[in-house]
């Protein structure tokens, strides 16, 4: 390293150029031999974390991208979504995604995803989903792996279970029909 610095700043004698050129060629050859003798190193190259040194996106831009992905492509319906997988898919760090969500939506990633899932399930309830299927299938179709998590998330947002919510919207409809 120091040898290349000396060469760069023209501190070395010009007669040393040929020697430096040979040393660079030897270094390149040894690096190639190293990779040939240790092919397992090439396997680990994709797992090396990428550092966004030049691109430091703003949190609101990341948040807008996340919301777009959730609303247009319904990414939240994937049952095994994790922050790690989501960060990898978007090619951002987990930290950037967490900051973006925390800054724009006062919750963590899991609650953010679950809130979208609950909104989807409520829309499904309003579209008469429960006339054909049950609550457990609604939880699965909304992206939840567990119906207990579905109940907890639903209660957190609406202070009711899904069935209580369904009955509360069903009664005004029945009354409207009976009054007509």
């Amino acid at each position: 390293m120091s040898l290349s610095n000396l060469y760069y700043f023209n501190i070395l004698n010009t007669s040393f150029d040929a020697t430096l050129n040979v040393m660079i060629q030897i270094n390149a050859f040894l690096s190639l031999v190293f990779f040939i003798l240790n092919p397992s190193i090439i396997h680990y190259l994709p797992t090396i974390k990428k550092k966004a040194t030049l691109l430091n996106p703003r949190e609101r831009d990341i948040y807008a991208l996340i919301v777009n992905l959730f609303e247009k492509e319904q990414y939240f319906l994937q049952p095994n979504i994790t922050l790690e997988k989501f960060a990898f898919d978007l090619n951002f760090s987990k930290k950037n995604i967490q900051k973006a969500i925390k800054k724009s939506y006062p919750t963590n990633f899991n609650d953010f995803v679950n809130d979208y899932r609950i909104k989807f399930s409520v829309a499904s309830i309003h579209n008469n989903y429960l006339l054909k299927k049950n609550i457990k299938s609604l939880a699965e179709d909304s992206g939840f792996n567990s119906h207990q998590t579905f109940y907890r998330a639903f209660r957190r947002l609406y202070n009711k279970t899904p069935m209580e919510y369904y009955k509360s919207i069903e009664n005004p409809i029945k009354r409207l029909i009976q009054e007509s």
Side-chain angles (χ1 to χ4, degrees), residues 15-124:
S15 64
F16 197 66
D17 286 348
T19 309
L20 185 60
N21 192 15
V22 169
M23 291 175 75
I24 291 172
Q25 289 175 351
I26 291 171
N27 187 18
F29 177 74
L30 289 176
S31 296
L32 182 64
V33 169
F34 177 76
F35 279 112
I36 290 172
L37 293 177
N38 297 314
S40 62
I41 268 203
I42 294 172
H43 171 72
Y44 292 107
L45 288 178
T47 61
I48 296 172
K49 290 188 176 184
K50 296 177 185 175
K51 294 276 185 180
T53 54
L54 298 177
L55 179 65
N56 189 5
R58 294 177 154 171
E59 283 92 5
R60 70 172 181 245
D61 296 336
I62 296 174
Y63 183 74
L65 180 66
I66 293 169
V67 168
N68 186 36
L69 195 62
F70 272 53
E71 289 179 358
K72 293 212 166 114
E73 300 194 23
Q74 296 184 328
Y75 193 90
F76 58 89
L77 293 179
Q78 296 180 18
N80 295 322
I81 187 174
T82 62
L83 178 58
E84 292 79 15
K85 182 182 179 316
F86 188 66
F88 181 78
D89 288 348
L90 286 181
N91 202 18
F92 287 119
S93 70
K94 292 185 328 185
K95 188 176 180 181
N96 282 344
I97 291 175
Q98 287 173 321
K99 276 184 183 178
I101 291 174
K102 199 73 153 170
K103 202 167 211 172
S104 301
Y105 195 85
T107 187
N108 62 29
F109 178 76
N110 289 333
D111 286 342
F112 179 79
V113 172
N114 287 342
D115 289 355
Y116 268 92
R117 289 173 173 169
I118 294 300
K119 290 174 189 172
F120 179 82
S121 68
V122 166
S124 297

